[in-house]
Amino acid sequence: MAQTQGAYYVPHGSHWPIVGSIGLFSTVIGAANLINGGHGLTAAPLMYLGLAIIVFMMFGWFGTVIRESLSGIYNNQVDVSFRMGMMWFIFSEVMFFAAFFGALFYARLYSLPWVGGEGHGGLTNYYLWQGYTPSWPTNGPGDIGGSFETIPAWHLPLINTLLLLSSGVTITFAHHALRAGHRRALLVWLAATIGFGVTFLYFQATEYMEAYQHLNLTLGSGIYGSTFFMLTGFHGMHVTLGAIMLTVMWFRCAKGHFTRENHFGFEAVAWYWHFVDVVWLGLFVFVYVL
């Protein structure tokens, strides 16, 4: 498709969506078979093959977009489209975590008191869970998973909070260095942000091992265990993705891909990282402290 200089860029037909679809389909089919006890080529090998195809697709597709950006064929309208797309993506992530926070609040403020006999739950408590006194944290009146202990908020969670808050400062310094044209400062602050993120993941892994090995706090520890690991686990996955994206940005900055005026790829990752910081603050307050 021919392009007019300064017009809104419409890319040529691409094979990457088909490649990505094949990778996703293979991963889901393989994972479903593996979870359900499947063996052979339709289980683990198919899942790993699908994941490899997805990684290959991401390198290829993002590489194509980077080359298009560096060639100067994106105008201001394309830049606005990218920004709007990133905004809607982050909004969808906000709604994703809002669903899990909503489940936590509903279980704690509505379901638990009702099962304990408060409000209109008196008959439920009398006939089904007589003698159960609601308290939080809990594994429910069925004592699912057995007794457990919680993670102390003022130890590793506090350290992780300080790490992520510090990373929010360093990514901001890196952004300012990029806009000022200070390449060395940009790389130093960006590397510091990556270091904070990796250290956060290390401490979270340590926390999980402590929970499983010594506190009997697992994903199967009733409503508290399931909400705890769903919220903190998905957040950890987002930190992992953010650290990978920051690493890619470091190499792109080192190669001089961005200018003072044109660096939305960096800004998009910075937005995402700040979102990760804010979500963690909510987790620290509502999951660990309260």
Side-chain angles (χ1 to χ4, degrees):
M1 180 181 293
Q3 297 294 326
T4 303
Q5 185 68 26
Y8 190 94
Y9 176 71
V10 179
H12 295 275
S14 174
H15 62 283
W16 293 119
I18 298 298
V19 175
S21 298
I22 294 173
L24 288 171
F25 183 79
S26 302
T27 301
V28 171
I29 295 298
N33 277 277
L34 185 64
I35 292 173
N36 288 281
H39 301 284
L41 296 178
T42 60
L46 184 61
M47 182 183 72
Y48 292 133
L49 175 63
L51 291 173
I53 293 174
I54 292 174
V55 172
F56 171 72
M57 177 272 299
M58 293 181 70
F59 273 93
W61 201 341
F62 283 119
T64 299
V65 174
I66 290 171
R67 287 189 293 272
E68 291 173 349
S69 177
L70 294 176
S71 66
I73 59 179
Y74 292 162
N75 62 9
N76 290 334
Q77 288 178 300
V78 177
D79 184 73
V80 171
S81 296
F82 280 135
R83 292 176 184 276
M84 292 299 296
M86 191 64 190
M87 289 178 185
W88 281 113
F89 169 70
I90 293 178
F91 177 76
S92 71
E93 293 290 280
V94 171
M95 293 297 100
F96 176 85
F97 278 100
F100 289 113
F101 275 111
L104 173 67
F105 293 142
Y106 186 85
R108 183 173 180 176
L109 300 178
Y110 294 98
S111 295
L112 192 64
W114 182 73
V115 172
E118 297 182 14
H120 297 289
L123 291 179
T124 300
N125 178 261
Y126 180 80
Y127 286 108
L128 296 180
W129 308 109
Q130 191 170 8
Y132 173 70
T133 301
S135 62
W136 190 265
T138 182
N139 52 3
D143 195 31
I144 299 175
S147 60
F148 64 88
E149 298 178 47
T150 60
I151 302 292
W154 307 111
H155 184 43
L156 286 182
L158 177 61
I159 295 174
N160 274 345
T161 302
L162 297 176
L163 286 170
L164 280 190
L165 289 177
S166 300
S167 72
V169 174
T170 55
I171 190 68
T172 302
F173 285 168
H175 191 195
H176 285 300
L178 174 57
R179 297 183 65 179
H182 299 154
R183 178 73 59 81
R184 182 178 179 83
L186 164 64
L187 294 176
V188 169
W189 289 119
L190 193 53
T193 306
I194 297 170
F196 284 135
V198 172
T199 306
F200 173 93
L201 293 172
Y202 170 78
F203 282 136
Q204 188 171 52
T206 302
E207 178 184 287
Y208 276 15
M209 288 189 290
E210 174 72 14
Y212 264 79
Q213 295 176 2
H214 302 289
L215 304 180
N216 195 37
L217 176 60
T218 69
L219 191 61
S221 297
I223 185 64
Y224 180 81
S226 59
T227 53
F228 173 83
F229 282 103
M230 289 295 284
L231 279 164
T232 60
F234 271 117
H235 179 268
M237 183 188 73
H238 282 72
V239 173
T240 302
L241 293 175
I244 293 173
M245 290 190 290
L246 286 170
T247 303
V248 173
M249 289 303 107
W250 191 93
F251 282 105
R252 291 194 64 190
C253 289
K255 294 183 68 175
H257 282 189
F258 301 119
T259 65
R260 299 182 184 185
E261 298 79 18
N262 184 17
H263 53 264
F264 173 68
F266 180 93
E267 285 184 321
V269 176
W271 292 357
Y272 182 86
W273 194 254
H274 287 306
F275 157 75
V276 169
D277 290 349
V278 172
V279 171
W280 177 258
L281 288 177
L283 283 172
F284 180 68
V285 173
F286 295 110
V287 175
Y288 289 99
V289 178
L290 298 182

